[in-house]
Amino acid sequence: MQKTIGLIAAVVFALSAAVNVQASTLDELVRAYAEQRDFSGVVLVARDGQPIYQAAFGIAQPAWKVAVTDDSVFRIGSLSKPLTATLVMRLAELGRIDLDETVGTYLPAAYAGTAAGKITVRQLLAHTSGLADLPSRYTDPFWSKDARRHYTPKEFASEWIPGALASEPGTWRYNNNGYYLLGMIVEAATGKSYAENMKQYVFAPAGMQDSGVFDGRTIIAKLAQGTVQADDGTRVMPPYIDPSVSYSAAGLYATALDLVRFDSALAGGRLLKQTSQREMYTNRGKGYGYGWEVADWAVSTDAPLPVVLHTGSIPGYQSIFVRSLSDRVAIVILDNAWQGATVVAMARDIADLVHGKPVALPRRSLQAALSPILFREGLDAMRAAYLRLGVRESATYDVSESALNAFGYSLLRKGQPEAAIQVFRWNAEAHPLSHNVHDSLAEALLASGDREGARAGYAKVLALDPGNRHATEELEKLRRTNP
């Protein structure tokens, strides 16, 4: 049976004894992630701006064997967006930016008279602009070629943010280019650089002493080096992306403590008025406000917990920042090993645990165990290892539906359809009543050219979920192309 941990009683942060119990319980959970999932980074949990738990794991500088410390600095990727949105909202409060004004007004040389020129600042903030965006997958040639070049903001916009739209404004679609344009609008409205504005209106008033805009040239004390896992299981340097491509969409760095300071400054009204914050935290579509994801997390049986949050991912780094506005709990996780699923799962577990909900300790990643075998020795060796490890009968490995699904799709993205099909078959065997696993298997079979197998898979999906629109559409496509 998988071990679970929980609180003996309700958490009362005002009492030091309760804080000590909570810290020790959190430590058991976080250390399990470090041991079972090789987490490398910093975890900080705070309430009312005061840390109740902080710990660091892993290596900050692999070449020198320097350990990650509590005050290590990390690039935070798209976690930059809440800070950029806060800057824009502050400038709006000061009358420097009009949220209902258009891109064409602020950037006339590039966008006057174009469809993109009619987009409002609000639509950029809410990801409802309809702008064309950069490729979402790092396997796209853009990231290995064009993203290695250095651009001024004007050069980047000219080449990669066209005046023609990809979709009609008003529909939500996550969009890095929209937040890139926000940085340019900040500069146009103030006559100062995005970095100078961030320092004046966000970092300085929040007391964020170790945060800034990453430029790739400035020496940053205590910067943790990001790494990625190669196919053979070793850790290597991440692919290079010029920092100018990230800019106001994903270009900031920070410490965990600085992000807690940011949380406190927002809550204390030192950055924005409460009316502006309510605007930011209002769902504008798909659970997103202005720079923040807006969600209700089921951390207890009483009522869902309203949270605002954001993740960040850039090669070598992963981050998540969760803020519970009702009880002032903040969770910051900064990672320098690019472990997206691990970081998000840990944040959810911490939120549950802090609010009195028992959680299961994490198990080892099956993907981490089997991927190196696949890429070193082949598919048959991976199958043999799966049987040898006794994965289905073992409590050691995470064979949850979501974990196996993620493993399968990672193999598809790496051009390994046969291996992906095998993993999806294991998932279907472990979770036979889930329509989602059969849908994934059918998708992989279709990608490999097995149309009959795909038909059978989508038929299985409809047997389990008769109203499934995706399966219906795929079967219709298969019927039209090959009756």
Side-chain angles (χ1 to χ4, degrees), residues 231-304:
D231 291 338
D232 63 1
T234 60
R235 298 215 67 87
V236 298
M237 296 286 283
Y240 177 75
I241 295 175
D242 192 89
S244 63
V245 174
S246 300
Y247 187 46
S248 51
L252 301 183
Y253 63 84
T255 62
L257 184 56
D258 266 5
L259 290 171
V260 168
R261 289 172 176 141
F262 175 61
D263 168 70
S264 296
L266 277 173
R270 301 199 305 278
L271 296 178
L272 290 176
K273 299 174 183 177
Q274 292 302 318
T275 52
S276 296
Q277 293 189 55
R278 283 194 291 272
E279 273 197 89
M280 280 209 306
Y281 309 146
T282 298
N283 184 357
R284 310 287 170 172
K286 299 290 186 180
Y288 203 96
Y290 293 163
W292 291 95
E293 295 178 47
V294 182
D296 290 327
W297 281 10
V299 299
S300 71
T301 56
D302 298 330

Side-chain angles (χ1 to χ4, degrees), residues 89-408:
M89 296 298 286
R90 178 56 181 154
L91 291 172
E93 288 182 346
L94 296 172
R96 307 292 297 276
I97 287 179
D98 184 341
L99 300 184
D100 295 308
E101 200 48 89
T102 65
V103 170
T105 298
Y106 288 108
L107 305 172
Y111 295 104
T114 69
K118 298 177 182 178
I119 296 166
T120 66
V121 175
R122 290 187 189 277
Q123 289 172 325
L124 295 177
L125 286 166
H127 292 307
T128 57
S129 67
L131 281 171
D133 202 9
L134 301 178
S136 59
R137 292 184 177 179
Y138 286 113
T139 53
D140 188 275
F142 167 83
W143 296 105
S144 60
K145 181 182 177 183
D146 300 291
R148 297 173 67 90
R149 293 166 48 199
H150 180 78
Y151 302 84
T152 66
K154 288 182 180 179
E155 289 170 344
F156 183 86
S158 175
E159 291 195 40
W160 301 107
I161 310 180
L165 299 182
S167 60
E168 284 298 313
T171 301
W172 190 91
R173 178 169 49 82
Y174 191 82
N175 198 299
N176 283 293
N177 276 350
Y179 269 74
Y180 201 101
L181 287 186
L182 286 172
M184 295 180 67
I185 288 172
V186 164
E187 295 191 355
T190 63
K192 296 181 180 179
S193 71
Y194 168 72
E196 290 173 309
N197 276 283
M198 283 299 304
K199 183 176 181 179
Q200 180 177 352
Y201 294 109
V202 179
F203 297 152
M208 299 172 70
Q209 304 166 8
D210 299 302
S211 300
V213 181
F214 187 79
D215 61 17
R217 300 184 305 276
T218 304
I219 296 174
I220 302 170
K222 299 186 178 181
L223 177 67
Q225 172 62 57
T227 65
V228 298
Q229 183 170 306
D231 291 338
D232 63 1
T234 60
R235 298 215 67 87
V236 298
M237 296 286 283
Y240 177 75
I241 295 175
D242 192 89
S244 63
V245 174
S246 300
Y247 187 46
S248 51
L252 301 183
Y253 63 84
T255 62
L257 184 56
D258 266 5
L259 290 171
V260 168
R261 289 172 176 141
F262 175 61
D263 168 70
S264 296
L266 277 173
R270 301 199 305 278
L271 296 178
L272 290 176
K273 299 174 183 177
Q274 292 302 318
T275 52
S276 296
Q277 293 189 55
R278 283 194 291 272
E279 273 197 89
M280 280 209 306
Y281 309 146
T282 298
N283 184 357
R284 310 287 170 172
K286 299 290 186 180
Y288 203 96
Y290 293 163
W292 291 95
E293 295 178 47
V294 182
D296 290 327
W297 281 10
V299 299
S300 71
T301 56
D302 298 330
L305 179 74
V307 298
V308 294
L309 68 145
H310 214 290
T311 57
S313 178
I314 195 166
Y317 300 91
Q318 183 72 38
S319 59
I320 189 169
F321 185 19
V322 183
R323 303 173 62 228
S324 167
L325 304 180
S326 58
D327 60 9
R328 290 291 325 281
V329 171
I331 301 167
V332 180
I333 305 176
L334 304 179
D335 148 280
N336 67 324
W338 209 19
Q339 297 170 301
T342 293
V343 167
V344 172
M346 194 193 316
R348 291 300 301 254
D349 282 348
I350 289 172
D352 285 347
L353 200 55
V354 165
H355 292 91
K357 183 178 179 180
V359 300
L361 290 176
R363 291 174 287 179
R364 288 189 61 192
S365 165
L366 185 63
Q367 180 174 344
L370 295 185
S371 287
I373 296 172
L374 169 67
F375 286 92
R376 285 197 307 262
E377 305 174 45
L379 181 55
D380 287 342
M382 186 182 84
R383 291 191 180 108
Y386 180 83
L387 296 174
R388 184 173 67 252
L389 294 171
V391 172
R392 288 190 62 185
E393 295 77 29
S394 170
T396 303
Y397 293 93
D398 182 0
V399 289
S400 64
E401 178 183 332
S402 60
L404 286 170
N405 221 41
F407 184 12

